[in-house]
Structures are given as structure tokens and as C-alpha cells.
Amino acid sequence: KRFSVTVPAAQQLGGEYTRGGIVTESRQPKRLSFRPLSDFLALPGELAEADESKMAPAAVAFEEEFLTVMGSPAANVCYGRSGLLHLAFRALDAYRAAHGGALPPPADDAAAEELLGLARGINDTAPADAKVKQLDDPSRSGVVRLLSRGACAVLSPMAAIFGGVVGQEVIKAATGKFHPIVQGFYLDALECAPESLPPGEVSAEALHAAGRYAAQAAVFGRSFVGKLRELNVFLVGSGALGCEFLKGFAMLGVACGDGGKLAVTDDDIIEKSNLSRQFLFRNHNVGQSKSLSAVQAVTRMNPELHARALQDRVAPETEGVFDAPFWRSLDVVVNALDNVKARLYVDGRCVLFTKPLLESGTLGAKCNTQVVLPHRTENYGASRDPPEKQAPQCAVHNFPHNIDQCLVLAHSEFVGNFDTAPREVSDFLAKGPEWVAELRAAGENDESILDKLRGDVRVTCGAPGGCIDVLVAERATTFAQCVGWARRRF
């Protein structure tokens, strides 16, 4: 992009401008205001549409009635899935009010029709720009019926998604740096739910027999829960994504039956920087195997989980470990990797042995998912991702294997040694006892403050670090001492 920069007048600069200088971007604040919840419920206004393919038939077909409101807030409210869900949840509140706080029972057709009737009543009295269109179309009324069937269930994957969204909104509110969701946001995955279930699948006896998985049985049926429990799953990677997958498997009961198996492999070890996003790990796990620590953590969540931790990289060199009988025994493979080469290898093995693959990845705030079904969908290797612009931090600090990752590692080491550590030492010398008080006020715990002073022995392998390194153990006052310090660092 081209930018135009206006240089201040000479008198402001204190002399004529010649060249160079530093330009600092000044972001202007944006003030937002939100309506009370009661106003939003009656008239939602602008709603973000999570999936435009789920809009009303008139919107998908760009019919004349939709084109008259396209581009306005009424488009999503009247024809969008978000507007339909807004109406359905208002009807659900009305149902609870009429039934003493009780939610509709699963697979209860009478309750579903009652909920749909309440939705129609609310919609009839709504103003024109908040009235949901085509409510009686089977694709629209079916959404309300599905909500009735699963309203009493709390599913771990959906809870994780909404928990992440809420967490982001809290961070936005606390920092004021990012734009929040305006008023309301609706998300559904109703395409996962079966259209109908035999009564025996969701009977009171079936839900009681499902035990801790009763919520899943209420939505998907008892047989589906049984299938999950008997799956043989291979999870490749147990970092940030791997932790999420493992937690989800444990909560859903995957591989928790007598015949179920879960193999988890990761050749990486836990670093302190991992703790901010890989939530299965704690301070005492630093330096330990990721796969072993992750399996131990999720087994505490669900002791029924039949998980086995491995520390082997999935690659041609380990085909003696992950041999043909191993691949043939699998029901599904889940990737949680941080490099394209490993993804392509696992994808190739899944194609060879015709195994379903769930491919996914994250990089900063970006993410991707791909479901690969043998002979039905495109496999991961059929199309190539653009080159990575950022290097995964786990690979950078443990296995830098290309020039870009080596440069990133070098930059990280340089900043740590010549910027972060000196600044912390200068702060410590300038403020004295107040330095600790300021860090505590900023939310630092005593352990992290001690790490700044003495270095984290789990990271430095017992060598000096932090302020002690700079001021005592490795204090350099001559050029020769500086060279010695650099050599020892190297």
C-alpha cells in the first residue's frame, strides 16, 4: 500500500527536514453505545450472520422480497438464521415461563409444536422490521423444532466455542483495543443433529443409562454415544489444538468404552511460553513430554478414557512404530500439527489406508479446518496452502529447521538478551522495593517475579538468569568479559 506522509513545517522540526525519521501511527478512539437487553430482545437491530448459506430460501435465491431489504439490518433479522434463532430463543424464554422454568424434554413432539406456536405468536406481534419471514417453511420451522429437542442439553464442543467467544469479549472490554460484537451474536451447528430419532434412543431409561453423557444422548441418541465410546482415534500433536481436542474427547466420552482406544503422539516438550494457551499444562510440567502430560491431565477429567501417550514424530523414519496394522486399526485420524510437511505426510497415510481425517491448524488469530472423507472429499494434499509468513513458536524454539525459523529464533534470543533483560534490570535498580509492588499491582504472581530475578531454572537448565545473571553471576565490565559472556550464551 502507498501512504502519504505530511512533514511538519521547519519551525516545528527545529530546522529543515532532510530525510529519515520515525512515523508513529495514532489510532483514534471509537466510542460505542449499547441498548438495554429488553430493547434488544424486542427489536434486535443489526445482527451478524455467522453462515449466510443458512438464511431463508428467499434470501438464498435472491428473490424480489429479499432484495428490497438486502444490505439493511432487516435483511439478517427477517431472513437470516440469526434473526430466526433470536425469535426461537425468545419463544424458549416464554416456554420456560409457562412451565415453571423447565425446558422442553428431548424428542417431545408436543413440546416442539408448543415452542413453534409461541414463536409464531411473538412473531405476529413484532414490528415489520423485526418480523421473521418464511417461518412456516420446513427449513425454518424445523430449526425451532430442533432447538426444542436439544434445549435441555449442554454439549462440550458448543460450550467451548461460546466460552472462547465470551473470553474474547472480556479481553476486548478490559483492554479497549479490539472491536466488540455489537449487541448480539447467534451461532448454531444444527446440521450435526439428526432430523429424527426413535423414541427408545432418547427415552428416560436411555438417558439414565448414558450417565455423564446424557446430554449427548438427548441430542444424538444413545447409539451415537455408544459409537463414540468404541472409536479408535489417532491424535497427532498435543499442543494448543491438541489440548482442545483431548479435552473434547474426554468430555464426549470418545474412546471410553471397552473397545475404545486413543493414541496421542508428540515429540515436543513443554516450555513456559506454552502455558498461556495450552491449558492442560501447569508450571510443574515445564520440561516434560507434551503428550504424556496432556494424557495424564485428561485422564483425571475422565478416568474412563483409554489413552496412550507416544513421543514419536509421525514421519517416514517412524513407520516401524506407526506401521500398516496400526493405520488399519484406526477409525479416524485428527491432526493438530504446526507444519505443512507433517500434515502432508499424515494426509498421505490416510489416503493410502482410506481413513477419515480431521485437519486443522491455527496461526495467531487465524484458523482453518478441513474434513477429509476417503473417496468423497478432496484430501489435504490436493491443494497447497500459501507459504507460512509466521513461524510456529514450538518449532522455532525446539526444532528450527529452515532459514526463516532460525532467523526468528535469533531475533527472539537477541531481544531477550539485549532488550528485555536489560530493561528489567534497569527497572529493578531504579525502583528497588517498589519494583516488586508494581509487578504485583500489574497482576504478576510471586513465582513469575522470582523468575525475573533469578531466571526460571526449568528453562535455563539450572544456569543463572534474570537480574541475577546480569548483576551478579555474569556481570561483564570489560570487553573480554563481554566476549566470555557471549561465548557461554552461545
Side-chain angles (χ1 to χ4, degrees), residues 339-350:
N339 68 90
V340 173
K341 184 179 178 181
R343 289 188 177 108
L344 289 171
Y345 177 77
V346 174
D347 175 68
R349 304 302 283 177
C350 289

Side-chain angles (χ1 to χ4, degrees), residues 87-119 122 144-145 147-149 151-152:
L87 173 64
F89 276 99
R90 289 188 66 193
L92 190 62
D93 287 340
Y95 181 97
R96 294 186 66 187
H99 292 267
L103 290 164
D108 189 322
D109 292 338
E113 292 305 317
E114 182 182 349
L115 185 67
L116 183 58
L118 290 168
I122 295 171
V144 181
R145 292 189 177 98
L147 175 63
S148 172
R149 200 176 78 208
C152 64

Side-chain angles (χ1 to χ4, degrees), residues 173-197:
T175 63
K177 290 184 178 180
F178 309 99
H179 201 289
I181 293 172
V182 178
Q183 287 297 154
F185 175 71
Y186 289 92
L187 177 71
D188 75 273
L190 291 173
E191 62 273 16
C192 298
E195 294 182 2
S196 61
L197 287 169

Side-chain angles (χ1 to χ4, degrees), residues 56-59 63 65 78-79 132-138 140-141:
E63 294 179 7
E65 60 174 298
C78 300
Y79 293 93
V132 173
K133 307 296 184 182
Q134 297 184 295
L135 181 57
D136 289 323
D137 186 277
R140 307 273 277 171
S141 59

